[in-house]
C-alpha cells in the first residue's frame, strides 16, 4: 500500500515518481468522484488548504474532519475511525500527535481489505509533505542539489527529520545546529547515517552545537519554530535554550552570498528568525508555501496510481 508516514517510505522506487507527478503539466483527474478524508488533530493553514486544493485539482472531494469531531481515541479507536473513513474515501490524510497512530490506521485499513493509503500531514516525528515541497523549491532555486550545502538551524524536530532525509536522498551535504539536548539522539543519528549510505547519493550529515559552523558557506539555510505544536508547556525553557540559534543577518553573513532562506511556517518572528530575514531578499518562504499544493498533487496522484 502506498502509505506515506515519512519520506523514506518513498525510497528507492517512488521518490522521483512523486516529484515527477508533482511537477508534470497535467496528471489528469485521477481522483474523479473520490473522497479524500483530511483528519486533523492540530491546527493548520498551509497543509489543509494546499491538500484540499490539490484534491479538487485531481477531480476529488476533500472532507476536512477535526479529530475532536470524530473523537479520535476517545469516542472511537484510531483503527475504527480509519475503517469508517475508509468506507467513504479513497485516501486518508491525517495530522496527528502520536506518529504511531498512522501505521495503526494503515494496518487496520489494509487488514480489513480497504484499498486506502494513509498520508502523514505532520506527526510529532515527521512532516513528509512539507519536505517534498521543500525539495521542489530547492531544485528550482539551486539547480542540481548533489554536493550543495543545506544548514538547518534549530530543533531537530519532525520538520528537521523529514528534511534531512530528503536532502540525503538528493545527495546534499546537510548540517544541523541545535542546542544541547535538542539534537538527534545517537541512535537516530546512526540510523540517518545508515540511511544515507543505503541511498548512495554521496550526501553527508554533520550535527553541531554551533550555528555558524553549520551556516558557514551554506547554499540554503532552514529553520523552524523552537516550540512545536504540543510542546507549548516547554516554551519558556526552549526560548532560553534556543536564543543563540536565531537566523539573523549576522548568520546570513557567514553563508554563501546568494543563500536561500527557508522556513516551513508558521514563523515566530524575533525567535527562530528575524523579521528582516523572513521579509528579506534571501527568503523563499512563500514559494515553499505555494509548492505545498504542487507537492500534494504529486503525493496524492502517486498514492492512487497503481490501483
Ligand atoms: N508548514 C505547515 O505545515 O503549515 P501549517 O501548519 O499551517 O499546515
Ligand atoms: N515543527 C512544527 C512544524 C509546523 C508546520 C510543529 O510541529 O508545530
Amino acid at each position: 500500500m502506498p502509505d506515506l508516514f515519512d519520506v523514506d517510505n518513498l525510497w528507492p522506487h517512488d521518490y522521483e515518481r512523486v516529484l515527477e507527478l508533482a511537477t508534470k503539466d497535467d496528471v489528469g483527474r485521477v481522483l474523479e468522484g473520490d473522497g479524500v478524508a483530511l483528519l486533523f488533530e492540530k491546527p493548520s493553514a498551509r497543509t489543509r488548504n494546499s491538500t484540499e486544493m490539490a484534491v479538487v485539482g485531481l477531480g476529488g472531494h476533500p472532507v476536512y474532519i477535526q479529530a475532536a469531531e470524530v473523537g479520535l481515541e476517545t469516542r472511537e479507536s484510531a483503527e475504527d475511525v480509519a475503517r469508517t473513513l475508509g468506507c467513504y474515501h479513497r485516501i486518508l490524510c491525517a495530522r496527528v500527535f502520536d506518529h504511531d497512530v498512522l501505521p495503526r490506521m494503515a494496518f487496520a485499513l489494509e487488514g480489513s481489505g480497504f484499498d486506502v493509503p494513509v498520508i502523514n500531514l505532520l506527526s510529532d516525528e515527521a512532516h513528509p509533505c512539507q519536505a517534498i515541497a521543500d525539495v521542489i523549491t530547492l531544485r528550482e532555486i539551486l539547480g542540481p542539489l548533489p554536493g550543495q550545502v543545506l544548514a538547518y538551524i534549530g530543533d531537530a524536530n519532525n520538520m528537521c527529520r523529514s528534511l534531512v532525509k530528503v536532502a540525503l536522498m538528493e545527495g546534499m551535504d546537510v548540517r544541523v545546529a541545535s542546542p544541547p539536548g535538542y539534537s538527534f539522539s545517537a541512535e537516530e543519528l546512526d540510523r540517518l547515517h545508515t540511511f544515507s549510505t543505503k541511498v548512495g547519493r554521496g550526501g553527508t550529515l554533520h550535527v553541531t552545537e554551533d550555528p555558524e559552523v553549520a551556516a558557514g558557506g551554506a547554499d540554503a539555510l532552514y529553520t523552524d519554530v523552537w516550540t512545536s505544536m504540543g510542546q507549548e508547556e516547554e516554551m519558556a525553557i526552549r526560548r532560553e535554550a534556543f536564543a543563540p540559534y536565531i537566523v539573523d543577518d549576522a548568520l546570513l553573513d557567514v553563508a554563501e552570498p546568494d543563500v536561500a532562506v527557508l522556513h516551513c511556517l508558521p514563523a515566530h518572528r524575533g525567535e527562530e528568525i528575524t523579521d528582516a530575514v523572513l521579509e528579506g531578499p534571501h527568503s523563499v518562504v512563500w514559494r515553499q508555501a505555494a509548492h505545498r499544493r504542487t507537492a500534494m498533487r504529486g503525493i496524492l496522484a502517486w498514492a492512487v496510481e497503481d490501483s
Side-chain angles (χ1 to χ4, degrees), residues 169-185:
M169 289 197 257
E170 291 288 328
M172 297 185 83
D173 291 330
V174 188
R175 304 174 194 157
V176 177
S178 313
Y182 295 96
S183 188
F184 293 123
S185 68

Side-chain angles (χ1 to χ4, degrees), residues 174-232:
V174 188
R175 304 174 194 157
V176 177
S178 313
Y182 295 96
S183 188
F184 293 123
S185 68
E187 295 74 30
E188 178 150 37
L189 206 50
D190 268 355
R191 280 199 299 274
L192 288 167
H193 284 304
T194 305
F195 176 65
S196 185
T197 307
K198 201 167 75 182
V199 163
R201 297 290 311 276
T204 61
L205 171 61
H206 296 287
V207 297
T208 173
E209 290 176 7
D210 187 337
E212 292 206 0
V213 167
D219 300 292
L221 273 181
Y222 201 117
T223 190
D224 182 19
V225 292
W226 295 339
T227 303
S228 286
M229 292 181 275
Q231 299 173 330
E232 287 78 7

Side-chain angles (χ1 to χ4, degrees), residues 42 95 122 127 157-159 224-225 227-229 264-266:
K42 307 179 186 183
R95 169 168 282 196
L122 182 145
H127 199 1
N157 60 12
N158 46 5
M159 185 63 256
D224 182 19
V225 292
T227 303
S228 286
M229 292 181 275
C264 59
L265 303 176

